[in-house]
Amino acid sequence: MPPRTAPTGPDGHHRPSSAQLRRWRRNLADERAEAAVYRDLASRRTGEEHEILLALAEAERRHEVHWLDLLGDDVGRPVRGDWRTRVLGWLARRFGSVWVYALAQRAESRSAYAQDAEATPRMAADEQIHEEVVRGLAMRGRQQISGTFRAAVFGANDGLVSNLALVLGIGASGVGAATVLLTGLAGLLAGALSMAAGEYVSVRSQRELLEASRPAADAATALAHLDVAANELALVYRARGMSADDAHARADVVLASLAQYEAQQAVDASLLRTTTALPGGGVDDGAEAGAASGPPAPPVPDRDEHESVGTAWGAAMASFCFFASGALIPVLPYLVGATGFTAVAWSCALVGVALIGTGSVVGLLSGASPVRRALRQLAIGYGAAAVTYLLGLAFGASAV
């Protein structure tokens, strides 16, 4: 019996199989959907971020052309893209926040082009680099929310786990439902106040430590009186980590441009930092660049490093509210009158759902697997609650 051969078209080339056509159409739909996501995000951004997003959309269009060429006359009717990409597009049209960037980063990491024989190595490399581009775009947003977000996640998780453990431990000791309810509410209030106070002190102290490393606000007034030959300004830059040559070159630029800065009323503490943009492209152009004709542009200050820490009051309020909301969940069954094992089961179930939710949110924002983070949160929460429940059984008067 002669071996079977793949069907061929009129031009003598092998025709793709039905499975190949379906995969190519699906890839085409995904590329179109991803390009639309980036265009929608770009419409909500300005400046360089807008241009970067449009460049990503153009890259996805090039990938789209590749699948169109392979399909030829077999393009067929448009196919809907992956449901996750469609959800991402819906979010991009309405929000355009760091959450969308985090989801886009996850979408880029799911690319299977490295294992797809019909995708070119360049396309696979593009998808890998796209993930890093989106990671960079999401970085600023993550920094801005990291302080308050950390307090919120820790507060909610602590409220869920600690109050579930408290309620189960007390309940397992054999006391009445009213005592369990009172204990749970007392734990809610005490824990929320403690968490808020701790976050306020922690964030306030961290901001004060960062502030102590900033140049003094009035230090820039001394620049006009420095000995240019001695160039002691270079010592400031060297103390902040620059090499001797770069420090002297930077100091020369600053001192040579000082008159123009004074005319613009732009002499401030940012001139004493090593990362503030200077005229002439920075330290590489030397003092001559700083003394070039025309007034220099005012120095551009660095982004506030405090944004990744958050504000003390913001962290305290987030911690209080989220701890209280998390700690309320294990108490809810007792509030509605449940008792005994029924209340325990409902508390565990409700807290489990909440832990899965907080774990998924952390996973999404961190660009990791939300399922893995959710299961980790669930295991930690149930593990802590199980310990206190067993202790309540061991030392209590009777079981629930």
Side-chain angles (χ1 to χ4, degrees):
M1 182 177 179
R4 298 179 62 184
T5 58
T8 59
D11 56 359
H13 290 90
H14 292 302
R15 287 186 56 80
S17 65
S18 298
Q20 283 180 307
L21 290 175
R22 285 195 299 271
R23 188 172 70 253
W24 295 351
R25 288 168 183 158
R26 186 170 60 249
N27 290 341
L28 173 63
D30 289 342
E31 293 293 354
R32 286 173 170 171
E34 290 176 9
V37 168
Y38 289 130
R39 286 194 296 269
D40 288 334
L41 285 171
S43 68
R44 305 176 66 90
R45 295 293 188 269
T46 58
E48 188 172 12
E49 191 171 351
H50 173 82
E51 296 175 3
I52 291 172
L53 289 166
L54 289 181
L56 288 174
E58 174 61 22
E60 303 296 352
R61 190 198 63 80
R62 292 195 300 269
H63 297 175
E64 174 188 340
V65 170
H66 171 80
W67 299 116
L68 284 172
D69 291 342
L70 281 181
L71 286 165
D73 295 333
D74 295 315
V75 173
R77 296 171 57 185
V79 178
R80 301 182 73 182
D82 182 79
W83 67 269
R84 290 168 293 194
T85 306
R86 298 201 305 273
V87 170
L88 182 59
W90 183 87
L91 293 171
R93 288 189 294 273
R94 287 159 178 80
F95 300 105
S97 64
V98 63
W99 297 88
V100 181
Y101 279 142
L103 290 171
Q105 181 182 329
R106 284 285 297 163
E108 294 290 357
S109 69
R110 290 194 301 266
S111 174
Y113 283 172
Q115 293 79 38
D116 194 326
E118 282 85 13
T120 66
R122 179 172 294 177
M123 291 169 63
D126 283 349
E127 296 298 327
Q128 286 183 287
I129 295 302
H130 290 178
E131 181 183 0
E132 297 307 314
V133 173
V134 178
R135 191 194 310 275
L137 292 173
M139 179 177 63
R140 179 77 191 280
R142 286 181 172 129
Q143 286 178 338
Q144 289 175 329
I145 70 169
S146 61
T148 303
F149 179 73
R150 175 185 60 83
V153 170
F154 284 176
N157 194 67
D158 285 353
L160 288 165
V161 176
S162 65
N163 228 30
L164 176 64
L166 179 62
V167 166
L168 294 191
I170 294 297
S173 68
V175 301
T179 303
V180 176
L181 175 59
L182 180 60
T183 303
L185 294 176
L188 182 158
L189 184 58
L193 290 171
S194 175
M195 287 288 295
E199 282 294 334
Y200 179 86
V201 172
S202 174
V203 173
R204 183 73 177 180
S205 299
Q206 191 170 356
R207 290 181 69 89
E208 289 171 350
L209 285 173
L210 289 173
E211 192 66 37
S213 300
R214 282 187 164 187
D218 58 350
T221 59
L223 295 178
H225 307 289
L226 287 178
D227 184 345
V228 176
N231 200 352
E232 292 191 11
L233 179 58
L235 296 179
V236 175
Y237 298 139
R238 290 175 66 183
R240 290 181 172 269
M242 294 189 77
S243 66
D245 292 340
D246 287 345
H248 279 282
R250 184 178 182 86
D252 288 341
V253 172
V254 171
L255 295 177
S257 306
L258 199 57
Q260 290 92 336
Y261 280 135
E262 289 176 343
Q264 298 178 16
Q265 297 183 342
V267 177
D268 56 34
S270 65
L271 292 174
L272 299 176
R273 309 188 72 156
T274 60
T275 52
T276 302
L278 296 179
V283 299
D284 294 333
D285 295 327
E288 293 76 16
S293 60
V300 179
D302 292 331
R303 288 174 172 173
D304 184 10
E305 68 270 30
H306 290 25
E307 68 183 6
S308 62
V309 178
T311 64
W313 279 111
M317 292 302 296
S319 185
F320 180 91
C321 294
F322 279 89
F323 183 97
S325 61
L328 179 63
I329 292 176
V331 183
L332 285 176
Y334 295 93
L335 281 173
V336 298
T339 59
F341 185 78
T342 301
V344 169
W346 272 108
S347 291
C348 291
L350 291 174
V351 169
V353 172
L355 287 172
I356 290 174
T358 58
S360 299
V361 168
V362 172
L364 287 174
L365 273 183
S366 62
S369 169
V371 175
R372 187 176 302 174
R373 293 293 189 274
L375 293 177
R376 183 183 67 181
Q377 296 280 88
L378 190 63
I380 293 173
Y382 278 176
V387 171
T388 58
Y389 183 75
L390 293 175
L391 288 174
L393 288 176
F395 295 101
S398 62
V400 173

